[in-house]
Amino acid sequence: MLENVEEFDMDKVIEEFESLTEDAERVQRETLKRILEDNASAEYLQSLGLNGRTDPESFKACVPLVTHRELEPYIYRIIDGDTSPILTGKPITTMSLSSGTTQGKPKYVPWNDELFETTMQTYQTSFAFRNSFTEKRISEDSVFLVRKGLVFDHSSISCASLVLSVIKVTWHSSGKLEKASEFPIKNGKALSFVYGSKQFQTKGGLAASATSNVFRSAGYKCGMRALQSLSCSPDEVIFGSDVFQSLYCHLLCGLIFREEVQFVSSTFAHSIVHAFRTFEQVWEELCTDIRKGDLTNNVTVPSIRMTMSKLLKPNPDLANLIRNKCMGLSNWYGLIPELFPNAKYIYGIMTGSMEPYLKKLRHYAGELPLLTADYGSSEGWIGANVNPKLPPEFATYVVLPHIGYFEFIPLTELENSKGEPDFLCVDPQPVGLTEVKIGGEYEIVMTNPAGLYRYRLGDVVKVMGFHNSTPELKFIRRSSLLLNINIDKNTEKDLQLAVEAAAKLLAEEKLEVVDFSSHVDLSKEPGHYVIFWEISGEASAELLSECCNCLDKSFVDAGYTTSRKVNCIGALELRVVRSGTFQKILDHYLGLGTAVSQYKTPRCVAPSNSVVLQILTDNVVSNYLSTAFS
Ligand code: AMP
């Protein structure tokens, strides 16, 4: 086990991490044994005939692979107040809500103290690696960065120059590496865009909320203080009942404590971009509040008003300084370091569905490094980012072998028409953590200490290498296909790449895609893909038609292009929506209980997700049909 939440010795955390990852297979066996012993009395496990066996072989033979759907009857009994040991030995008293943006509605997943403990262990591990010192040496022809046995060889990275520029290595004139920059943070504060989502009681009296279970846990503050990551905003702001008012006050607190802010963070990068887009709208109001020492009347929640009035004192100098800085920026480039001169980095999950926000985030960040946070879910954490210097595009997550029991369903490699590898799951026979192969793509199966056994998380990862004997995973995509009409199959990643390609055309006119989603329209034969775009300004019909054609051409999956050519799939349609439409979608999810810090824009809206589809449809201002295959 790693350190206690309150005590935190970075060297010890790294040492333990190295030792756990060196013997991952043994650690996995022990972890499984612990989980099965602790929950031996659970009805679910008893019904599967394990009869006290805790070895991986018996576990795999007796316990089926499941998705959330199969566990729902059990979860709903718990929610409805059945306190018998259903999924776990000790009764579950709290439920988490996953964001559920893929399915259209949040899902309940059991939460307990062990999950809080593993959350803090994951945070501690990546923090230790961000703050620890890196030794370096030079071999004959390649550069190694060595950190307590971890050898990171640049030659294994395809874009070495990008990596080198990001880690800011300094070269002597002799060509020798002198030092590698680190990310140590001293005593200070974090500007964290975190929000305690609504907590409510289920019918059976269980507490339920989204990620705020972590923020509400007794040890959270102590743990974050030890990680020097305490939020500069008071609890009343974090747990405020109105997300917009909380966001406004997070920004205000950040400005009041601007000298102390050591880094800017959120759980997912979307919240940081959302916060600074909001800053662009409200900065003058923020300056007025600081100048007068008086909070705007737009903040009405009494608890937030009371706490902010204690922090806010008239400070015309600060107001002028911020005003001058804002006025001096060109299109808000480098806003974050201007506002927070001592910030060392921006921190939050930046991979997967967050990648589309990287461009905007880099724009606000200027020269500040972007560090992706760890990899996990409401169901539990999976891996830590122990190579913080890698830019998000190259980030990997090292699986923590003691926080859950992990299996991997191999996705069989097939060749697509372009001779490139394409991955398809044909036989869901999972392999163990240490049996995965470098280069392979897998769907993750998780067994956690809170009642999920052989649970298909729905994420696809790629094994990029090993840290000692535990794999380093790159997040690839959600496993479900996003767009599919005929023999075509396009994933979230394919959509993202198509949008990126078409957005380049917009960028030539200094416009950007603020957010996007998609839909398969089967209302007319043949069905066709619809892409919804919110853009940052007015674009000409000519340019948008070009973007539409580019989107259509950018789906390179052979099933799609063939179907398009023979008109089994109709022309792709680009629908441009009014400014603020994606904010309305966010508001809708917040109303369902999703936490803003956990929010992921739904990248494909199914007909069953009728409210979101209606929001999009009601806000369409123009539409374009592709002529790319005419
Ligand atoms: P939630 O269920 O709302 O807690 O969200 C969890 C999901 O977010 C995971 O299953 C992933 O799909 C995604 N996710 C979490 N961490 C990362 C990460 N580091 N990179 C990419 N996607 C992530």
Side-chain angles (χ1 to χ4, degrees):
M1 271 285 161
L2 292 176
E3 286 284 276
N4 227 328
V5 176
E6 289 85 5
E7 306 152 24
F8 181 57
D9 172 344
M10 280 193 296
D11 286 343
K12 197 163 163 219
V13 167
I14 292 180
E15 240 166 67
E16 291 202 22
F17 170 79
E18 295 302 348
S19 124
L20 287 165
T21 54
E22 248 154 41
D23 204 356
E25 198 198 334
R26 179 186 54 79
V27 175
Q28 279 282 275
R29 277 183 174 267
E30 286 172 4
T31 305
L32 179 64
K33 184 166 181 281
R34 196 180 65 237
I35 292 174
L36 295 180
E37 281 175 356
D38 287 351
N39 298 298
S41 61
E43 172 191 321
Y44 181 76
L45 288 180
Q46 293 227 332
S47 71
L48 296 170
L50 270 169
N51 295 329
R53 286 170 297 166
T54 60
D55 59 289
E57 296 70 27
S58 308
F59 179 63
K60 287 180 193 172
C62 296
V63 179
L65 292 172
V66 290
T67 63
H68 192 269
R69 189 184 297 260
E70 279 91 48
L71 292 182
E72 265 171 16
Y74 300 92
I75 292 178
Y76 277 100
R77 276 174 56 203
I78 299 173
I79 287 172
D80 289 345
D82 186 338
T83 53
S84 63
I86 297 176
L87 288 170
T88 48
K90 276 194 244 153
I92 292 286
T93 55
T94 311
M95 284 282 164
S96 279
L97 277 176
S98 77
S99 60
T101 34
T102 328
Q103 277 82 22
K105 64 175 177 20
K107 292 179 299 195
Y108 285 104
V109 286
W111 169 265
N112 65 11
D113 289 348
E114 279 91 334
L115 284 190
F116 172 72
E117 212 181 295
T118 57
T119 301
M120 296 313 289
Q121 288 168 358
T122 308
Y123 289 178
Q124 288 182 346
T125 305
S126 53
F127 179 83
F129 277 87
R130 287 199 298 287
N131 259 37
S132 74
F133 200 73
T134 303
E135 300 151 36
K136 49 268 145 196
R137 69 182 156 81
I138 297 180
S139 75
E140 290 281 289
D141 47 12
S142 62
V143 176
F144 293 96
L145 296 183
V146 185
R147 181 194 275 124
K148 298 193 194 286
L150 161 72
V151 178
F152 164 58
D153 177 359
H154 284 161
S155 57
S156 65
I157 290 165
S158 55
C159 191
S161 60
L162 172 59
V163 174
L164 284 171
S165 75
V166 169
I167 65 174
K168 291 190 184 133
V169 289
T170 312
W171 292 88
H172 266 291
S173 49
S174 64
K176 297 237 160 157
L177 181 69
E178 187 195 36
K179 80 178 202 219
S181 79
E182 294 290 336
F183 306 107
I185 50 171
K186 296 183 218 94
N187 285 334
K189 293 187 161 63
L191 170 53
S192 294
F193 295 101
V194 290
Y195 307 85
S197 61
K198 271 185 234 155
Q199 196 182 36
F200 56 94
Q201 297 243 310
T202 67
K203 200 166 106 195
L206 267 74
S209 76
T211 39
S212 54
N213 283 331
V214 176
F215 312 141
R216 286 179 206 273
S217 297
Y220 178 73
K221 271 204 167 168
C222 275
M224 294 318 269
R225 191 171 296 118
L227 301 186
Q228 295 157 49
S229 308
L230 260 195
S231 164
C232 63
S233 306
D235 281 357
E236 290 78 359
V237 170
I238 297 172
F239 294 105
S241 55
D242 180 291
V243 169
F244 178 78
Q245 296 184 28
S246 290
L247 164 54
Y248 183 90
C249 292
H250 273 316
L251 290 167
L252 198 50
C253 292
L255 295 176
I256 294 170
F257 297 109
R258 68 185 286 272
E259 300 277 348
E260 289 166 69
V261 168
Q262 293 278 305
F263 66 100
V264 174
S265 74
S266 72
T267 311
F268 284 96
H270 169 268
S271 300
I272 308 179
V273 170
H274 180 245
F276 287 99
R277 281 193 203 279
T278 306
F279 181 89
E280 289 187 30
Q281 312 297 322
V282 299
W283 69 276
E284 285 172 299
E285 200 176 353
L286 289 164
C287 286
T288 308
D289 288 3
I290 293 172
R291 185 181 313 284
K292 294 191 186 153
D294 204 9
L295 189 63
T296 169
N297 289 333
N298 292 333
V299 176
T300 54
V301 176
S303 56
I304 304 186
R305 285 202 73 82
M306 198 183 301
T307 196
M308 288 307 296
S309 67
K310 290 187 200 134
L311 289 179
L312 205 53
K313 304 276 174 289
N315 192 340
D317 290 347
L318 179 60
N320 288 341
L321 183 91
I322 293 163
R323 186 179 176 76
N324 291 340
K325 287 194 176 291
C326 290
M327 303 286 280
L329 290 173
S330 162
N331 195 24
W332 303 101
Y333 177 81
L335 171 64
I336 298 177
E338 276 300 308
L339 295 180
F340 310 108
N342 296 314
K344 311 286 184 302
Y345 51 83
I346 319 272
Y347 189 65
I349 294 171
M350 295 175 188
T351 44
S353 61
M354 295 298 125
E355 278 179 33
Y357 306 110
L358 284 178
K359 190 164 178 244
K360 190 70 181 172
L361 199 52
R362 287 210 164 95
H363 184 83
Y364 286 134
E367 298 285 303
L368 270 188
L370 304 186
L371 272 60
T372 185
D374 306 309
Y375 171 35
S377 65
S378 307
E379 288 86 346
W381 288 94
I382 297 155
N385 176 8
V386 302
N387 284 320
K389 296 183 196 75
L390 291 180
E393 289 84 348
F394 295 94
T396 57
Y397 303 98
V398 175
V399 179
L400 296 165
H402 63 299
I403 63 173
Y405 183 73
F406 299 101
E407 296 169 71
F408 296 82
I409 301 176
L411 302 187
T412 304
E413 196 176 316
L414 301 175
E415 259 196 11
N416 69 18
S417 59
K418 291 168 74 198
E420 290 164 349
D422 222 357
F423 289 88
L424 184 75
C425 169
V426 277
D427 177 14
Q429 276 312 316
V431 296
L433 179 72
T434 53
E435 293 163 343
V436 294
K437 301 268 179 295
I438 293 178
E441 292 200 1
Y442 300 87
E443 190 195 316
I444 292 200
V445 176
M446 161 194 271
T447 295
N448 79 2
L452 302 181
Y453 307 96
R454 309 198 81 204
Y455 175 94
R456 291 175 77 157
L457 189 61
D459 285 348
V460 174
V461 294
K462 182 171 183 169
V463 177
M464 304 304 286
F466 281 85
H467 182 102
N468 298 322
S469 65
T470 183
E472 296 178 328
L473 307 178
K474 181 176 171 63
F475 182 90
I476 300 294
R477 59 179 167 87
R478 295 288 297 162
S479 58
S480 50
L481 278 182
L482 210 59
L483 294 162
N484 167 235
I485 293 178
N486 185 21
I487 52 165
D488 53 313
K489 47 186 177 62
N490 281 301
T491 64
E492 180 173 351
K493 187 79 191 171
D494 299 316
L495 172 65
Q496 185 192 316
L497 292 174
V499 169
E500 267 172 25
K504 284 195 183 125
L505 302 173
L506 273 189
E508 287 168 18
E509 300 290 317
K510 302 226 170 338
L511 291 168
E512 57 183 317
V513 178
V514 173
D515 223 330
F516 63 96
S517 190
S518 68
H519 171 64
V520 168
D521 186 345
L522 299 173
S523 62
K524 277 193 284 209
E525 275 287 324
H528 69 285
Y529 290 5
V530 177
I531 312 293
F532 294 95
W533 267 12
E534 180 174 322
I535 54 181
S536 58
E538 291 283 312
S540 67
E542 197 188 348
L543 175 58
L544 288 167
S545 297
E546 235 184 284
C547 291
C548 179
N549 287 352
C550 178
L551 282 166
D552 205 4
K553 280 280 182 199
S554 300
F555 288 104
V556 289
D557 154 53
Y560 182 73
T561 50
T562 317
S563 305
R564 281 288 289 118
K565 279 178 198 152
V566 296
N567 205 31
C568 284
I569 295 181
L572 181 144
E573 185 181 356
L574 171 61
R575 296 187 192 163
V576 178
V577 294
R578 215 167 261 122
S579 164
T581 303
F582 280 85
Q583 176 67 41
K584 287 186 188 155
I585 296 175
L586 168 62
D587 293 342
H588 162 70
Y589 277 102
L590 298 186
L592 292 179
T594 301
V596 69
S597 25
Q598 191 186 8
Y599 178 71
K600 299 162 212 81
T601 298
R603 293 295 181 215
C604 184
V605 184
S608 56
N609 196 353
S610 54
V611 181
V612 173
L613 199 54
Q614 198 62 48
I615 297 173
L616 287 164
T617 310
D618 288 349
N619 285 284
V620 172
V621 286
S622 58
N623 66 323
Y624 305 86
L625 278 176
S626 162
T627 52
F629 289 85
S630 302

